[in-house]
Amino acid sequence: MSGTNGARNVQQQTTEVAIIGAGFAGLGMAIRLRQEGEENFVVFEAADRVGGTWRDNTYPGCGCDVPSHLYSYSFEPRPQWSRAYSPQQEILEYIEYCVAKNNLTPKIRFSTPIEKAEYDEVKQRWCLTSKAGEVFFARYLVAGTGPLAKPSYPNVPGRETFKGAQFHSARWDHDYDLKGKKVAVIGTGASAIQFVPAILPEVAELTLFQRTPPWIMPRPDRAYTEGEKERFARHPRLQRLYRNAIYWRMEATAMGLTVKPEWMKFVAKLGRKHINSQVEDPELRAKVTPDYLPGCKRILVSNNYYPALASPKANVVTDSIEAITEKGVRTANDEYEVDAILYGTGFAVTEFMADMKLVGRDGMELHDRWQKGIEAYYGMCVSGFPNFFILVGPNTGLGHNSIIFMIEAQVNWILRALKSTRRRGAGVLDVQEKVQRDFNGRIHQRLADSVWQSGCQSWYLDQNGHNFSLWPGFTVEYWARTQRFQPDHFRFEDRS
Ligand code: NAP
């Protein structure tokens, strides 16, 4: 199992499947491998704890906008969810529970960031090098690193000159006391609309820099009663029925997003009603009312965001930011002096797996391969990168349903792919270039009519307006299409 690299005297280890990332995706892969009797796998995790995005995002008010009973593995239902929409801590505890229940800790190499993965044609293996210089070989490589991992900061000059405190929502500084402080918040996405109302009672003043207002719907949140939790525990079928009802309710939205964007005008009506019921000031109403179709950017849910903005402590600034200065934030019309700047500015999604150099056949780097456009076969396989699978890869993100559903479909498809490869005595599978190209051609044809291409700017699109993020239809279609592994779409090589 192990050897030595004489030159660097580092340990080399070999495994059948290497999984990178111990978040929902990577752990889902690990649990399903184990359920299928595969023990020869290792999970590499850069941090010292599992949880992925639910470990990194600890900002006040952090929670999930997909209902708890659906935002969980189908094979690990949890009757005790405290609320309809779970807070971050409870989701993190759920992930840790899944790890403990499946005794996965011994399988996880914590504090082991993988810096490079290179495919070795001769060995038919991926060679992984960690930051500390350890070398690992794996026949199959699964990336569970997720697209929302690397914080993105606004592209304005002067950030380094600011003398006060500043941090990103995904790197919240809990040692910084916001009490009585004047703060600037940049961004009005899913994260900011959660932490703005949560910090407002603490701060003295909050200036919110809004570039584009999001569409926000009421959040039908409530605590589950002890009776409900007991019923879910006693009747697993009832819980499954409940989960399915949530799934199909959310799934219905895909019709408006992908097939009939004009239907989203009805959603806009609901959004305007929500604004009008929570905001009295006509000037603020006008500022927070979007001028694009709902769904073009992610539709958010909140009951306390608009009331927070309507507070006398809050000020919404819609002028664009020119610079960050020593004292605060400068727009064309004003300079706002603050004690702290909080960035709710999202993630560098186009820099997918940015911290890792991935080198496939013929020395081709994944980032170079994607220079002309980020694409994969069902979001999972990239031609020229054999035995490599991506979870939540290109065009498999969602604007309307639970990503855990997609992760499970992908994990199960990968298991089918591995079985089929082994059954034919092969050790290598590589998706055919033409199949991948045709698949993406069809995807982008469909995306052209979707609400995401209806004119707004969002992180779903790259700088050319190309949607590399989202699945163009119903998740049930993705599930159905990934029920079968199609060997004729791949090239195989005998196992050496
Ligand atoms: P985001 O949705 O990408 O929002 C970033 C915000 O920063 C946007 O309002 C953007 O404005 C703004 N911004 C960026 N640069 C700016 C600049 N120079 N000046 C002013 N504003 C600027 O990021 P996020 O809120 O962190 O959410 C990212 C994703 O994480 C979500 O879409 C969702 O998938 C996930 N998330 C999910 C949950 C959940 O409950 N499940 C919670 C949080 C996050 P523009 O709109 O004009 O670009």
Side-chain angles (χ1 to χ4, degrees), residues 59 63-65 148 154 186-191 194 211-212 297-298 321 344-347 459:
Y59 58 79
C64 190
D65 57 15
L148 304 173
I186 304 180
T188 54
S191 305
Q194 292 183 337
R211 193 163 63 181
T212 321
K297 285 169 182 287
R298 188 178 174 90
I321 299 171
T345 42
F347 299 89
W459 65 259

Coordinates of all heavy atoms in Angstrom, one line a residue, residues 59 63-65 148 154 186-191 194 211-212 297-298 321 344-347 459, ligand 1:
Y59 N -21.8 33.0 9.4 CA -22.2 34.4 9.7 C -23.6 34.4 10.5 O -24.3 33.5 10.4 CB -22.4 35.2 8.4 CG -23.3 34.6 7.3 CD1 -24.7 34.7 7.4 CD2 -22.8 33.8 6.3 CE1 -25.5 34.2 6.5 CE2 -23.6 33.3 5.3 CZ -25.0 33.5 5.4 OH -25.8 32.9 4.5
G63 N -28.4 30.3 7.4 CA -29.3 29.1 7.4 C -29.6 28.7 5.9 O -29.0 29.3 5.0
C64 N -30.4 27.7 5.7 CA -30.7 27.2 4.4 C -32.0 27.7 3.9 O -33.0 27.7 4.6 CB -30.6 25.7 4.4 SG -30.6 25.1 2.7
D65 N -32.1 28.1 2.6 CA -33.3 28.5 2.1 C -34.0 27.4 1.3 O -35.0 27.6 0.5 CB -33.2 29.8 1.2 CG -32.2 29.7 0.1 OD1 -31.8 28.5 -0.2 OD2 -31.8 30.7 -0.5
L148 N -19.1 26.9 -4.6 CA -19.2 28.1 -3.7 C -18.2 28.0 -2.5 O -18.6 28.0 -1.4 CB -20.6 28.2 -3.2 CG -21.7 28.3 -4.3 CD1 -23.1 28.2 -3.7 CD2 -21.6 29.5 -5.1
P154 N -15.3 42.6 -4.0 CA -15.7 43.5 -5.1 C -14.4 44.0 -5.9 O -13.4 44.2 -5.2 CB -16.4 44.6 -4.4 CG -16.1 44.5 -3.0 CD -15.7 43.1 -2.7
I186 N -21.5 45.3 1.7 CA -21.5 45.3 0.3 C -22.2 44.0 -0.2 O -21.7 42.9 0.1 CB -20.1 45.5 -0.3 CG1 -19.5 46.7 0.3 CG2 -20.1 45.5 -1.8 CD1 -18.1 47.0 -0.2
G187 N -23.2 44.1 -1.0 CA -23.8 42.9 -1.6 C -25.2 42.7 -1.0 O -25.5 43.0 0.2
T188 N -26.1 42.2 -1.8 CA -27.5 41.9 -1.4 C -27.9 40.5 -1.9 O -29.1 40.4 -2.4 CB -28.4 43.0 -1.9 OG1 -28.2 43.1 -3.4 CG2 -28.2 44.4 -1.3
G189 N -27.0 39.5 -1.8 CA -27.4 38.2 -2.3 C -27.9 37.4 -1.1 O -28.3 37.9 0.0
A190 N -27.9 36.0 -1.3 CA -28.5 35.1 -0.4 C -27.9 35.2 1.0 O -28.6 35.1 2.1 CB -28.4 33.7 -0.9
S191 N -26.6 35.5 1.1 CA -25.9 35.6 2.4 C -26.2 36.9 3.1 O -26.6 36.9 4.2 CB -24.3 35.5 2.2 OG -24.0 34.3 1.5
Q194 N -29.4 37.4 4.8 CA -29.6 36.7 6.1 C -28.8 37.4 7.2 O -29.3 37.5 8.3 CB -29.0 35.3 5.9 CG -29.9 34.4 5.0 CD -29.5 33.0 4.9 OE1 -28.3 32.6 5.2 NE2 -30.4 32.1 4.5
R211 N -26.1 46.8 -5.5 CA -25.9 47.1 -6.9 C -27.2 46.6 -7.7 O -27.7 47.4 -8.5 CB -24.7 46.3 -7.4 CG -24.2 46.7 -8.8 CD -22.8 46.2 -9.1 NE -22.8 44.7 -9.1 CZ -21.6 44.1 -9.3 NH1 -20.5 44.7 -9.5 NH2 -21.6 42.7 -9.3
T212 N -27.7 45.5 -7.3 CA -28.9 45.0 -7.9 C -29.8 44.4 -6.8 O -29.4 43.6 -6.1 CB -28.6 43.8 -8.9 OG1 -27.4 44.1 -9.6 CG2 -29.8 43.6 -9.9
K297 N -31.8 35.9 -11.3 CA -30.9 35.7 -10.2 C -31.7 34.8 -9.2 O -32.9 34.8 -9.3 CB -30.5 36.9 -9.5 CG -29.6 37.9 -10.2 CD -29.6 39.2 -9.5 CE -28.7 40.2 -10.2 NZ -27.3 40.0 -10.0
R298 N -31.0 34.1 -8.4 CA -31.6 33.2 -7.4 C -32.7 34.0 -6.6 O -32.5 35.1 -6.1 CB -30.6 32.7 -6.4 CG -31.1 31.7 -5.4 CD -29.9 31.2 -4.5 NE -30.4 30.3 -3.5 CZ -30.4 29.0 -3.6 NH1 -30.0 28.5 -4.7 NH2 -30.8 28.2 -2.7
I321 N -20.0 51.8 -6.2 CA -18.8 52.0 -5.4 C -17.7 52.3 -6.3 O -17.4 51.6 -7.2 CB -18.5 50.8 -4.5 CG1 -19.7 50.5 -3.6 CG2 -17.2 50.9 -3.8 CD1 -19.6 49.1 -2.9
G344 N -20.7 40.8 1.5 CA -21.6 39.7 1.1 C -21.6 39.5 -0.4 O -22.6 39.5 -1.0
T345 N -20.3 39.4 -0.9 CA -20.1 39.5 -2.3 C -19.9 38.2 -3.1 O -19.4 38.1 -4.2 CB -19.0 40.5 -2.6 OG1 -17.9 40.2 -1.7 CG2 -19.4 41.9 -2.5
G346 N -20.3 37.1 -2.4 CA -20.4 35.8 -3.1 C -19.1 35.1 -3.3 O -18.1 35.4 -2.6
F347 N -19.0 34.3 -4.3 CA -17.9 33.4 -4.5 C -17.4 33.4 -5.9 O -18.1 33.8 -6.9 CB -18.4 31.9 -4.2 CG -18.9 31.8 -2.8 CD1 -20.2 32.1 -2.4 CD2 -18.0 31.5 -1.7 CE1 -20.6 32.0 -1.1 CE2 -18.4 31.5 -0.4 CZ -19.7 31.7 -0.1
W459 N -24.2 35.3 -11.2 CA -23.0 34.5 -11.1 C -23.1 33.2 -11.8 O -22.2 32.4 -12.0 CB -22.5 34.2 -9.6 CG -23.5 33.4 -8.7 CD1 -24.3 33.9 -7.8 CD2 -23.6 32.0 -8.7 NE1 -25.0 32.9 -7.2 CE2 -24.6 31.7 -7.7 CE3 -23.0 30.9 -9.4 CZ2 -25.0 30.4 -7.4 CZ3 -23.4 29.6 -9.0 CH2 -24.4 29.4 -8.0
Ligands
NAP1 P1 -24.2 36.3 -4.4 O1 -25.5 35.8 -4.5 O2 -23.2 36.1 -5.6 O3 -24.3 37.8 -4.1 C1 -23.2 38.7 -4.2 C2 -23.7 40.1 -4.0 O4 -22.6 41.0 -4.0 C3 -24.7 40.5 -5.1 O5 -25.7 41.3 -4.6 C4 -23.7 41.4 -6.0 O6 -24.4 42.4 -6.7 C5 -22.9 42.0 -4.9 N1 -21.7 42.6 -5.4 C6 -20.6 42.0 -6.0 N2 -19.7 42.9 -6.3 C7 -20.2 44.1 -6.0 C8 -19.7 45.4 -6.1 N3 -18.5 45.7 -6.7 N4 -20.5 46.5 -5.7 C9 -21.7 46.2 -5.1 N5 -22.2 45.0 -5.0 C10 -21.4 43.9 -5.4 O7 -23.4 35.7 -3.1 P2 -24.0 35.1 -1.8 O8 -25.1 35.9 -1.2 O9 -22.9 34.7 -0.9 O10 -24.7 33.8 -2.4 C11 -24.0 32.9 -3.3 C12 -24.7 31.7 -3.4 O11 -24.6 30.9 -2.2 C13 -26.2 31.8 -3.6 O12 -26.7 32.1 -4.9 C14 -26.7 30.4 -3.1 O13 -26.6 29.5 -4.1 C15 -25.7 30.1 -2.0 N6 -26.3 30.5 -0.7 C16 -27.3 29.7 -0.3 C17 -27.9 30.0 0.9 C18 -29.0 29.1 1.2 O14 -29.8 29.5 2.1 N7 -29.2 27.9 0.7 C19 -27.5 31.0 1.7 C20 -26.4 31.8 1.3 C21 -25.8 31.5 0.1 P3 -25.0 42.0 -8.2 O15 -26.3 41.2 -7.9 O16 -25.3 43.3 -8.8 O17 -24.0 41.2 -8.9

